Amino acid sequence: MTSAAVTTSPAAPVPTPFELFGGAVAVRKLVDRFYDLMEGDPDYAALRALHAPDLDPMRTSLTGFLIAWLGGPRDWFDARPGGPCVMSMHRNIVIDRAVADQWLAAMARALDASAIDAPLRSAITTAFTRMAGGMVNR
Ligand code: HEM
């Protein structure tokens, strides 16, 4: 009687959320949709009013933050020595529940156009909801 040889192969590398999201181009598209909605839809007027007139720096910064946050390149953090905390960066911005909900609603609509599966969408939404809720300070 012969026994079949048991072979083991190295486990396939687990893709990061950043890779599952589609990489830097997909993250930038998400951020552009988010700020386009914020700029164009009066439902988000209060949120828009909190931001500087020129949203280009925010488009760059939020893209960089999300790339790192999703497990991609950490350039955003590397450019900000001292371990910046995105929650603390909002401490001096007056954020009430209504404006936090505007942020989440615009982001939900932006995510609608992202080609991601339901579990990743759900995980991102849960995390954003917790973060935005934690930023409410009024
Ligand atoms: C709760 C609702 C939120 C409000 C009202 C809000 C508002 C703001 C405002 C007014 C700024 C400064 C914009 C400017 O200088 O023009 C900002 C910056 C920023 N926000 Fe938010 N934000 C919210 C939630 C979030 C969340 C959930 C994230 C992360 C997922 C986030 C990530 C960032 C980043 C990365 C910056 C740029 C920081 C920098 O480069 O200085 N924000 N936010």
Side-chain angles (χ1 to χ4, degrees):
M1 186 172 150
T2 57
S3 59
V6 176
T7 56
T8 56
S9 55
V14 178
T16 62
F18 171 70
E19 288 162 337
L20 292 173
F21 199 90
V25 170
V27 176
R28 177 67 199 219
K29 282 183 181 163
L30 169 75
V31 168
D32 279 338
R33 285 194 298 275
F34 174 72
Y35 286 114
D36 288 350
L37 284 164
M38 192 195 288
E39 282 198 294
D41 190 327
D43 281 357
Y44 313 124
L47 178 62
R48 175 68 186 91
L50 289 175
H51 289 74
D54 180 5
L55 286 175
D56 282 352
M58 274 306 304
R59 289 174 190 261
T60 303
S61 183
L62 184 58
T63 301
F65 170 78
L66 291 177
I67 286 171
W69 181 77
L70 287 164
R74 295 184 58 80
D75 304 35
W76 188 90
F77 285 92
D78 294 343
R80 293 165 176 76
C85 167
V86 78
M87 302 296 294
S88 304
M89 289 170 105
H90 291 75
R91 200 183 298 137
N92 296 324
I93 303 167
V94 176
I95 301 180
D96 62 16
R97 188 65 249 180
V99 89
D101 285 344
Q102 288 183 18
W103 195 102
L104 290 168
M107 184 54 80
R109 284 175 65 192
L111 279 166
D112 284 344
S114 293
I116 53 174
D117 66 15
L120 181 58
R121 166 75 188 245
S122 173
I124 289 173
T125 300
T126 299
F128 282 169
T129 302
R130 287 198 184 124
M131 292 165 87
M135 290 171 183
V136 173
N137 53 22
R138 290 297 184 279

